[in-house]
Amino acid sequence: MRAKTPSKVAQRLEDAKSRLVRDNPLAQDIAVEGVLQPLTVVPLTVVHENGHPDCALLIAADGSSRISAVHELLDYQPSRIAYEWGADDRKFRGEISRWARLLRKQGWSGLTEDERRKVRALSVPARVVIGFRPNTQGGQAFHTAVRNFIGLTHIRPPRPYGPAVENEAKADAVLDSLAEPGRSTAAHITETEKHWFSGTISPEEVAAAGLSSELDVRAGEIVRSLLGGGVRTTRRVNEGIRSLTAKQRPKREERVDVAVELILRPIRTGLSDDAKFVRPRRAVLQRAYRLPEIEDLPAELRWEESGSDGCALEKLRDAAMAEADQGLGDSGRLGPAQTELAVKAAYHMAMAEPMALQREVFGGSEDEDDRGAATVLRAMLSRRRGILQAYEVVRAGRAGERLREVDEDGSPLVTAEGQPRVLTDALVRHTYSGGPVPLEVSRVGSKAASVSWACVRESVDRLRRDVNGMADVPLEEDGPSFVAQEGWDPSQVREVREALDWVSRKIAGWADRFVERDEALDVES
């Protein structure tokens, strides 16, 4: 390659690194496992027109995001590697020796996490092209052969598995992680539960192990085991995901998707993986089980133990009623009984035909309900009627009956023709709109305030979704985020931030007043 001066090459190297780090950020993944797959590298000689000595390099043939991520982790400038270390072998070996001495002196356990990240990135496997022997019949030049080889990887790569199959593989890795005891802790699930969750156990074995044959109970236990239990569970699930992806911080949405894929295994098997049936139900469950309250489901409290009778479902219903009477749900958080009932009802509502719970509407009119499934479930399980409806959904789903709408007393509603009203997503969204209850039911006091707070929470949730939606708008097809690249008008941002600051100060005052009141009551008592 011919270049005018070393500074021109250095600038191009730095620009390429910045672009690759921005467009394909791999640093966090490489920090966990290092570079796993070898790069294809070829020799390059830079000839400078100003008479500067030639510069010989090994370069990634396709402009490697992995190398750029390694440079980012190690805080190396590509231009320094090319012109300083490339010209002085002693300096290059000195940098390697610095890390080797540190590792020998302190040992792996004595390194800080930041030092470990850098040591993992210090060596990179590579496939080095040292020569080229052209096919005499084809007569292709060296650069053409390299270009075609890279094209197989980037232009016409093997067809990806797709998210569903990827989540399948992650699910098995997660179950292995949960079933393996730690150094000082017991396994999170038993081997039998692992086979139950993975769908590799027969109905006879399920019964012999004292496990439930109800698919919603299995779904509830998968959700509890993979998504509940707080930080301890999150760490174990993330370990399983990292064992396949080397992703340092898997998001909660990824853990939800893995749990849903396990839940769907018996359904896909029974339907020969009918995409038209499975795809919309997967989308609904992925949204429904993002309900934040699921993270707080306690491992020790179960209203429906494995193999329990139908009375347990009634106990779950009554416990959810008691929580609703206390204002849970309206306060922005469902109680544990309401949450467990929501998880099981959501399963049957998604599996029903027609579906009684669907994903939110995108790009619809202002009159259309664009709430996510989790928000609809919270509004539903915050009302006594909604709890009775959820109970009826689970009962009917287990009995193989069609889902019917119920009234305030839990009795089935009928149409003008005297037929039971089939429960649909439209009916659910209309009945449990998330708005305030009728004024004659609650005008003043704690109940009325909790209903208003539910509206505030719904507005905040919608704002968060809208902000994430704007962040996901690409600059171009399959390109990076528009606002991440271009930003947004500061005056418009300032106006919104001032409104948010006012809201923040307002509700912070309510929290201060709550604390003052509690402290005053403590003094009086």
Side-chain angles (χ1 to χ4, degrees), residues 373-385:
T375 304
V376 174
L377 284 172
R378 183 183 292 113
M380 179 178 172
L381 272 294
S382 300
R383 304 283 177 264
R384 291 181 65 86
R385 178 180 177 182

Side-chain angles (χ1 to χ4, degrees), residues 470-513:
M470 185 169 178
D472 290 339
V473 174
L475 181 65
E476 55 191 18
E477 193 68 31
D478 296 327
S481 164
F482 179 91
V483 289
Q485 296 290 316
E486 303 294 327
W488 201 251
D489 184 352
S491 63
Q492 297 184 27
V493 171
R494 191 181 308 113
E495 181 183 355
V496 172
R497 290 190 63 184
E498 288 174 355
L500 293 175
D501 288 343
W502 180 88
V503 172
S504 179
R505 291 194 301 271
K506 187 79 170 180
I507 62 177
W510 299 346
D512 293 340
R513 176 56 187 150

Side-chain angles (χ1 to χ4, degrees), residues 406-468:
V406 300
D407 61 17
E408 297 287 348
D409 299 322
S411 301
L413 288 171
V414 295
T415 64
E417 293 77 22
Q419 299 297 319
R421 292 183 64 175
V422 176
L423 192 67
T424 64
D425 177 71
L427 285 174
V428 170
R429 289 177 177 274
H430 174 75
T431 305
Y432 310 103
S433 62
V437 296
L439 291 178
E440 62 270 15
V441 175
S442 182
R443 289 177 178 270
V444 298
S446 174
K447 185 65 176 178
S450 67
V451 170
S452 294
W453 179 254
C455 296
V456 172
R457 279 298 303 266
E458 185 179 344
S459 299
V460 172
D461 290 342
R462 179 168 181 172
L463 174 62
R464 185 183 293 110
R465 292 199 309 273
D466 290 343
V467 170
N468 288 336

Side-chain angles (χ1 to χ4, degrees), residues 265-280:
R265 277 188 180 178
I267 306 301
R268 291 202 318 270
T269 303
L271 292 167
S272 300
D273 204 5
D274 182 352
K276 291 183 179 179
F277 183 92
V278 174
R279 189 178 294 120

Side-chain angles (χ1 to χ4, degrees), residues 140-290:
Q140 297 294 334
F142 171 67
H143 74 278
T144 305
V146 172
R147 183 182 63 206
N148 293 345
F149 179 79
I150 297 304
L152 292 174
T153 303
H154 290 283
I155 299 175
R156 294 291 295 174
R159 182 178 179 182
Y161 281 130
V165 180
E166 290 175 8
N167 289 328
E168 277 279 342
K170 293 174 190 174
D172 289 326
V174 166
L175 292 181
D176 286 341
S177 176
L178 293 177
E180 185 175 341
R183 293 180 180 177
S184 58
T185 58
H188 193 65
I189 60 175
T190 66
E191 278 295 320
T192 303
E193 287 175 323
K194 172 184 169 181
H195 292 299
W196 186 35
F197 294 164
S198 66
T200 56
I201 186 172
S202 68
E204 293 75 22
E205 290 172 320
V206 169
L211 300 172
S212 176
S213 61
E214 300 294 351
L215 292 179
D216 66 280
V217 174
R218 175 180 173 275
E221 290 307 301
I222 289 174
V223 166
R224 186 192 301 275
S225 299
L226 271 68
L227 306 178
V231 175
R232 177 172 170 266
T233 301
T234 297
R235 287 174 178 168
R236 297 293 290 271
V237 173
N238 284 352
E239 284 176 9
I241 295 174
R242 280 198 297 266
S243 70
L244 280 185
T245 66
K247 183 174 290 187
Q248 190 172 19
R249 295 184 180 88
K251 295 182 179 180
R252 184 172 185 270
E253 290 78 6
E254 191 167 356
R255 297 191 291 274
V256 172
D257 293 350
V258 167
V260 168
E261 219 53 51
L262 285 173
I263 291 169
L264 289 174
R265 277 188 180 178
I267 306 301
R268 291 202 318 270
T269 303
L271 292 167
S272 300
D273 204 5
D274 182 352
K276 291 183 179 179
F277 183 92
V278 174
R279 189 178 294 120
R281 285 156 176 83
R282 176 186 289 119
V284 169
L285 291 181
Q286 286 173 344
R287 284 160 171 76
Y289 292 157
R290 290 176 187 172

